[in-house]
Amino acid sequence: MEPKTVRRAPGAGFPARHIAPEDAVNALPAGTVVLTLDGALPVEFLNEGDRVISRNCGVATLTRIHRDRRRVDTITIQKGTLGVSRPEQDALVLARQEILVRDWRAGTLFGASQALVPARRLIDGEFIRDAGQLNLDLFELHFDSPQILYADGLELASANLVPATV
């Protein structure tokens, strides 16, 4: 994963959401690899105080991690579907996980150069598929402000400031 960041104030330039924040469930399944200043690490190895690479501000400090096991709707995204190495390998995300889309889909589907949308709105039945409900160990990553993180080659929104219910 090669993050494309610019130096901005934390939270600056957060893309427009195409879902109400309370309808999102921004949590990463165990095994998801997140870019940090210590390298690419599985989400379950992260701790409060770790510095995570963020599209918004370059680096964001993890203030809280909420771990939970839940039955959730999931989506699989085939390797390279959202751009070169996006994702780097087939990825499993929550259906309500917000993904930053910056390709033709953003313009065609949402009329913008970039859009923050739940994974389920990107299902095409071929490259992005409904994987059904699974029991997963989930990790909600919280920061002082909303962030776009690099995880498994995708640009994913951090956990909501107000916890969402599944």
Side-chain angles (χ1 to χ4, degrees), residues 10 18 23 25 31 38 57-58 61 65 92 99 107 126 131 133 135 147:
H18 289 272
D23 289 334
V25 176
D38 294 323
C57 61
T61 302
I65 301 174
L92 177 75
I99 299 176
E126 186 174 349
Q133 288 194 340
N135 289 316
Q147 300 295 324

Side-chain angles (χ1 to χ4, degrees), residues 93-152:
V93 297
L94 304 184
R96 292 166 53 181
Q97 170 67 54
E98 294 175 296
I99 299 176
L100 181 62
V101 178
R102 297 184 297 124
D103 64 0
W104 62 269
R105 288 171 189 85
T108 302
L109 300 174
F110 307 105
S113 61
Q114 61 181 9
L116 193 59
V117 297
R120 69 175 168 222
R121 293 208 38 208
L122 299 173
I123 292 173
D124 61 16
E126 186 174 349
F127 302 106
I128 303 174
R129 296 185 181 138
D130 185 338
Q133 288 194 340
L134 297 173
N135 289 316
L136 296 175
D137 291 320
L138 301 175
F139 297 80
E140 293 180 2
L141 304 182
H142 295 267
F143 301 88
D144 286 336
S145 61
Q147 300 295 324
I148 300 294
L149 312 174
Y150 296 96
D152 282 350

Side-chain angles (χ1 to χ4, degrees), residues 32-50:
T32 302
V33 176
V34 178
L35 282 186
T36 74
L37 284 186
D38 294 323
L41 297 173
V43 68
E44 58 268 29
F45 287 43
L46 298 179
N47 296 296
E48 292 176 9
D50 283 349

Side-chain angles (χ1 to χ4, degrees), residues 15-74:
R17 282 189 154 106
H18 289 272
I19 183 176
E22 61 274 6
D23 289 334
V25 176
N26 294 326
L28 306 178
T32 302
V33 176
V34 178
L35 282 186
T36 74
L37 284 186
D38 294 323
L41 297 173
V43 68
E44 58 268 29
F45 287 43
L46 298 179
N47 296 296
E48 292 176 9
D50 283 349
R51 295 176 297 165
V52 175
I53 297 175
S54 164
R55 180 169 176 75
N56 306 60
C57 61
V59 177
T61 302
L62 193 51
T63 58
R64 185 170 69 89
I65 301 174
H66 176 75
R67 294 171 173 90
D68 195 10
R69 182 161 183 85
R70 289 184 259 169
R71 185 165 184 81
V72 291
D73 293 325
T74 58

